[in-house]
Amino acid sequence: MNKTIPLKVPAHGLTVTQASDVTKSKMTLNVDAVVVGSGAGGAIAAYELAKAGKKVVVLEAGPYVPSEKFTEMLAISMATLYQDHGGQSNSAGDITILQGACVGGSTVVNAALCFRTPDYYLNLWAKEFGLTNLTPDVMLPYFEKVEANLQIKENERYETSPGAELINQGIQKLGLPPGYAKRNVKNCGLTGHCFAGCVSDRKQSMLVTYLPWAVAYGASIYSDTRATKVITKGGKAAGIEAQIIDPATKTKKCDLTVNAPIVVLAAGPVQTSGILMNSQVANSSGQVGKNFACHPTMSLTAEFSEEVDDFHGATHSLYMDKYILPEEGGYLLLNAVQDPVEASFQAEPGTGKPYMSYMSKYRNTIRLITLIHDKNVGEVIWKNGVKEIKYFVDNEDFEIMKAGLKTNARVLFAAGAKRIYIPTSQKLIIESVDKIDAVIDGLKNEPARYRYTSFHPQGTCRMGADPKKTVVSPTGETHDVKNLYVADASLLPTSIGYNPSETVYALAHYISDHINRVHA
């Protein structure tokens, strides 16, 4: 599979129909395919279907924000580019579940980190879920294709942040294997502002790659457009009902009907499951919304005696995955540049003088993330348009988190840390390496006690061969409704322990190829 990109693509900007462009209270579009969501899966599906000659429309609930309007200030970006203004969380409120809500989806606000799906999971899915079609040999050319198209490659040494250099020293002092991050970035500006959007268009997000390519092949994009229902006729998908919402007033501006014999849902695990529930389709298994996982993370913040200034360089420079597979531990360590806004809520410094004292040492701090391979124990519930992400960290998973935190803390102390802050609701500090076990062993799995973050919602429309236990077939089509496809992280049968973006990219290409074969 060779890289194939249309020749006539604007150097910058994207043609999008926004709520401000709409003057009618009702509209109907007749197309060959409608794609709901413009992120990792939706953008690729739109591109592949349009390239095959189909008339395609993409519906995105979020706004269109061109990169020149990115501020590189996380607090502002949260309000403009993220789902629920960055406030999406589980029902207990202790896990912030970050998800992009803009044209380009989460690819606009992620850190560009990419991993191929390990063969371990492809083999596991074949054995446990009947996905014998997704073998390592079959998936390899899809990984190679997206890596070429998105310029996914290992960081150069000069891209490493100052904090990552220290962490690397700690990893190697402990005899652990360092892993060097691969990212979808072209000539990175090394500003460390990935989570706020890339103002220079160097991050190869869907906003500057597959969406412009899809438009060049004739696809249309509608932002501010919330899909509400899948239209079906005779057991087949027939289109989407949607509402165009004025982002300023939050009121409905237009009822939109898109008639299309092919429907692709790629709105993300929370929203895709919600559309299916609202439509009351594709759920004979009772599994829509079930099997939610999200890779909960805790960031340990280490304070050093000297200034580190870990706020420039690649957002992610390195990782340590010796213990990533479930039988080996089930956790990943990952460095990350920390924005001052993030630094202010990752630990519990108190208020007033204690808070100011903590933040005055921001230049002396770095963080190291512990990410766990969690069980699919959660559920997304939608009632009357209101969602609940019912997910609590499993007790066994919490023990994995504690094991990861111990390794994390040892790496940071080996790197020269003076003290380490644990992200708890009450201040908790590890003062020395000999206190690590005692402090972390004392942690108990209690809701609302820790400050978790998740960037990786997965599951809710599990893919598999058995229609009684899964929602989507091995080729991405729902078991119950023909020509209704899912192409996002909802598909993943299990948590995969690594950032899932490249997995979604590859699956979206695979599913799109299938659609084009069936609907040639």
Side-chain angles (χ1 to χ4, degrees):
M1 295 184 181
N2 296 320
K3 178 177 176 180
T4 307
I5 299 170
L7 297 178
K8 295 181 180 180
V9 179
H12 176 72
L14 187 60
T15 301
V16 178
T17 300
Q18 304 176 65
S20 57
D21 301 316
V22 175
T23 57
K24 299 178 181 179
S25 61
K26 288 188 177 181
M27 292 173 55
T28 300
L29 301 175
N30 298 304
V31 297
D32 298 317
V34 56
V35 178
V36 179
S38 63
I44 287 177
Y47 163 69
E48 288 289 8
L49 299 183
K51 183 162 68 74
K54 294 177 175 61
K55 187 176 181 180
V56 177
V57 65
V58 179
L59 308 181
E60 170 56 55
Y64 169 51
V65 184
S67 55
E68 65 267 20
K69 292 188 178 180
F70 297 159
T71 64
E72 296 193 335
M73 296 178 66
L74 187 60
I76 294 175
S77 298
M78 285 280 187
T80 56
L81 301 175
Y82 283 75
Q83 186 68 45
D84 297 351
H85 310 297
Q88 181 171 263
S89 66
N90 64 334
S91 51
D94 58 354
I95 305 177
T96 300
I97 300 170
L98 297 172
Q99 180 186 0
C102 57
V103 172
S106 295
T107 71
V108 173
V109 295
N110 69 16
L113 189 61
C114 292
F115 295 92
R116 293 183 182 182
T117 317
D119 290 354
Y120 174 95
Y121 292 104
L122 296 177
N123 294 329
L124 177 70
W125 297 346
K127 180 181 178 181
E128 295 192 1
F129 298 95
L131 298 181
T132 55
N133 54 317
L134 302 181
T135 65
D137 286 343
V138 167
M139 295 306 295
L140 177 60
Y142 291 101
F143 293 131
E144 291 175 338
K145 183 174 187 175
V146 296
E147 287 166 4
N149 283 351
L150 298 179
Q151 303 195 43
I152 297 170
K153 57 186 182 299
E154 187 175 295
N155 282 347
E156 299 289 345
R157 295 289 83 84
Y158 68 84
E159 296 179 300
T160 304
S161 74
E165 293 284 3
L166 288 173
I167 289 169
N168 201 9
Q169 292 174 24
I171 287 173
Q172 297 199 39
K173 282 181 181 177
L174 296 179
L176 298 170
Y180 299 100
K182 291 183 178 180
R183 300 182 301 143
N184 53 292
V185 176
K186 179 181 178 181
N187 300 322
C188 184
L190 304 178
T191 63
H193 293 299
C194 282
F195 298 135
C198 183
V199 71
S200 65
D201 284 346
R202 299 184 188 206
K203 176 162 58 176
Q204 300 297 282
S205 73
M206 300 297 101
L207 184 64
V208 299
T209 54
Y210 280 89
L211 289 176
W213 304 343
V215 170
Y217 276 119
S220 300
I221 302 172
Y222 282 71
S223 67
D224 311 314
T225 303
R226 184 176 62 214
T228 57
K229 185 179 180 181
V230 177
I231 303 169
T232 60
K233 292 181 181 179
K236 296 181 179 180
I240 287 286
E241 291 181 3
Q243 297 177 344
I244 299 177
I245 306 296
D246 185 325
T249 64
K250 309 301 181 187
T251 59
K252 182 176 69 174
K253 193 170 185 180
C254 176
D255 286 308
L256 175 65
T257 299
V258 183
N259 296 315
I262 302 168
V263 175
V264 180
L265 299 182
V270 177
Q271 286 71 26
T272 287
S273 60
I275 294 168
L276 291 177
M277 289 179 205
N278 189 61
S279 307
Q280 297 183 352
V281 298
N283 197 23
S284 64
S285 65
Q287 294 299 299
V288 171
K290 303 288 180 63
N291 309 305
F292 177 85
C294 63
H295 287 166
T297 72
M298 281 196 205
S299 293
L300 294 186
T301 299
E303 181 186 323
F304 288 74
S305 299
E306 67 282 355
E307 292 176 354
V308 180
D309 289 343
D310 189 36
F311 42 75
H312 57 85
T315 303
H316 292 313
S317 296
L318 76 157
Y319 59 90
M320 198 290 293
D321 64 350
K322 180 178 180 179
Y323 306 107
I324 185 61
L325 295 180
E327 60 265 33
E328 294 172 351
Y331 63 87
L332 175 77
L333 301 188
L334 179 67
N335 94 290
V337 169
Q338 183 164 244
D339 176 280
V341 174
E342 292 178 283
S344 70
F345 61 69
Q346 286 292 349
E348 178 48 65
T351 59
K353 288 183 178 179
Y355 174 81
M356 294 303 293
S357 175
Y358 172 80
M359 287 305 296
S360 70
K361 301 183 183 73
Y362 164 65
R363 296 181 66 179
N364 296 50
T365 62
I366 65 174
R367 68 165 165 166
L368 184 57
I369 297 169
T370 300
L371 178 154
I372 63 169
H373 169 282
D374 56 329
K375 296 184 181 67
N376 295 69
V377 296
E379 180 179 5
V380 175
I381 301 170
W382 285 84
K383 289 184 179 178
N384 301 318
V386 178
K387 68 186 170 191
E388 178 186 5
I389 303 174
K390 198 171 181 180
Y391 176 93
F392 305 95
V393 176
D394 178 84
N395 285 334
E396 291 182 2
D397 286 344
F398 188 72
E399 293 304 311
I400 292 171
M401 177 65 78
K402 287 165 64 174
L405 291 175
K406 287 181 179 181
T407 303
N408 186 330
R410 290 190 176 96
V411 167
L412 291 171
F413 277 120
K418 182 178 175 183
R419 61 178 59 91
I420 294 172
Y421 294 82
I422 297 179
T424 52
S425 57
Q426 300 292 323
K427 183 185 289 187
L428 186 60
I429 300 173
I430 306 175
E431 296 286 0
S432 62
V433 69
D434 60 327
K435 300 288 181 62
I436 291 174
D437 287 347
V439 172
I440 294 177
D441 284 341
L443 302 180
K444 299 185 183 304
N445 189 21
E446 300 172 351
R449 186 174 180 183
Y450 306 100
R451 296 183 174 187
Y452 295 101
T453 302
S454 164
F455 245 119
H456 306 154
Q458 300 163 63
T460 73
C461 297
R462 179 176 268 173
M463 187 186 219
D466 188 346
K468 294 180 180 179
K469 297 179 180 179
T470 60
V471 178
V472 177
S473 78
T475 54
E477 186 178 40
T478 62
H479 290 296
D480 297 351
V481 180
K482 296 300 180 185
N483 304 339
L484 173 60
Y485 296 86
V486 175
D488 59 27
S490 306
L491 296 170
L492 303 190
T494 66
S495 167
I496 59 172
Y498 288 97
N499 301 50
S501 55
E502 189 168 347
T503 297
V504 175
Y505 297 146
L507 285 174
H509 272 295
Y510 176 86
I511 292 166
S512 298
D513 277 358
H514 171 77
I515 295 172
N516 283 330
R517 282 193 298 270
V518 173
H519 301 275

